[in-house]
Amino acid sequence: MKRARRATIERNTTESRITIGLGLDGTGKRRISTSIPFLDHMLDLLAKHGLFDLTIKATGDTHIDDHHTVEDIGIVLGEALKKALGRKEGIRRFGTAWVPLDETLAQVTVDLSGRPYLVYNVKLPHRRIKGFDLYLFEDFFQALTTHAAMNLHINVAYGRNPHHIMESIFKALAKALDQAVAVDVRVKGVLSTKGSL
């Protein structure tokens, strides 16, 4: 019987309370509530375009700053992805996607290698959208990368509108992850000459 590639992770600290449920073989069903509307929008895109079933319930000390909540969601989402993948047997491991949005073009490449490393080449013309600090997304991606134990390269070739830039990044991440977690019947064990990921 095939193992269900799902995980639920809960993380509670003095700074945030987060529960995430992730299903890799889903249809894009999502229920996301982080108390940060722009982050909700980006995570909604990730689930929809990656065809992941995703539930996120998060509260944090956003009266102080959004940083703890944003970074901690990255931590928990990374842990959920790693747990859902299990031993990574049969997965394609690599994924890459170019996604345009009007004047913007973003490219994301993923390697579910077990070796965390983030490359983040993103220039934003404005730092904030409705008070939300877009620079926090680099911390989100660093936390996601570290806790999922993956190699993640994010490159924005060009773009003018910061909303379009972030949206194209999250859609590209969704498509790249969808490729990387996909099971390929030709892959026996894990896709590594070392025999482990």
Side-chain angles (χ1 to χ4, degrees):
M1 184 174 173
K2 188 172 120 178
R3 182 183 80 85
R5 299 194 306 163
R6 303 187 62 84
T8 299
I9 303 287
E10 185 174 340
R11 183 177 191 266
N12 297 316
T13 71
T14 58
E15 297 170 340
S16 67
R17 299 176 61 82
I18 298 164
T19 303
I20 293 182
L22 174 65
L24 298 181
D25 303 306
T27 59
K29 293 179 188 172
R30 61 238 183 253
R31 194 170 63 251
I32 297 165
S33 176
T34 70
S35 76
I36 304 170
F38 193 74
L39 179 60
D40 285 358
H41 178 40
M42 294 300 108
L43 294 169
D44 190 59
L45 294 168
L46 179 66
K48 178 68 174 178
H49 291 277
L51 299 173
F52 305 123
D53 291 342
L54 181 63
T55 58
I56 300 178
K57 176 66 178 168
T59 57
D61 54 4
T62 54
H63 59 286
I64 297 171
D65 186 79
D66 291 337
H67 181 272
H68 295 143
T69 304
V70 172
E71 184 175 41
D72 290 355
I73 289 170
I75 290 170
V76 180
L77 185 57
E79 290 175 351
L81 176 58
K82 186 174 181 182
K83 184 176 179 183
L85 283 168
R87 295 173 59 186
K88 304 180 188 174
E89 292 176 341
I91 66 166
R92 290 186 174 162
R93 176 179 165 178
F94 300 98
T96 192
W98 289 88
V99 171
L101 181 56
D102 295 347
E103 84 298 340
T104 298
L105 182 63
Q107 185 264 338
V108 173
T109 299
V110 169
D111 177 7
L112 298 172
S113 61
R115 296 164 58 97
Y117 198 93
L118 173 67
V119 173
Y120 190 75
N121 292 315
V122 179
K123 289 190 173 87
L124 294 166
H126 307 290
R127 181 168 178 162
R128 295 185 179 274
I129 291 180
K130 283 197 158 189
F132 179 74
D133 184 356
L134 298 172
Y135 283 15
L136 294 177
F137 279 123
E138 185 170 2
D139 299 315
F140 168 85
F141 289 122
Q142 183 63 67
L144 175 67
T145 299
T146 300
H147 291 269
M150 69 178 177
N151 188 209
L152 176 61
H153 290 239
I154 299 173
N155 295 286
V156 175
Y158 42 81
R160 176 191 54 80
N161 182 307
H163 187 139
H164 292 174
I165 290 169
M166 295 316 304
E167 185 165 331
S168 61
I169 288 169
F170 271 86
K171 287 177 178 176
L173 175 61
K175 302 311 290 180
L177 272 176
D178 183 40
Q179 291 172 32
V181 304
V183 174
D184 188 325
V185 295
R186 297 170 298 172
V187 177
K188 306 304 178 193
V190 295
L191 194 57
S192 171
T193 55
K194 293 184 293 190
S196 66
L197 289 173

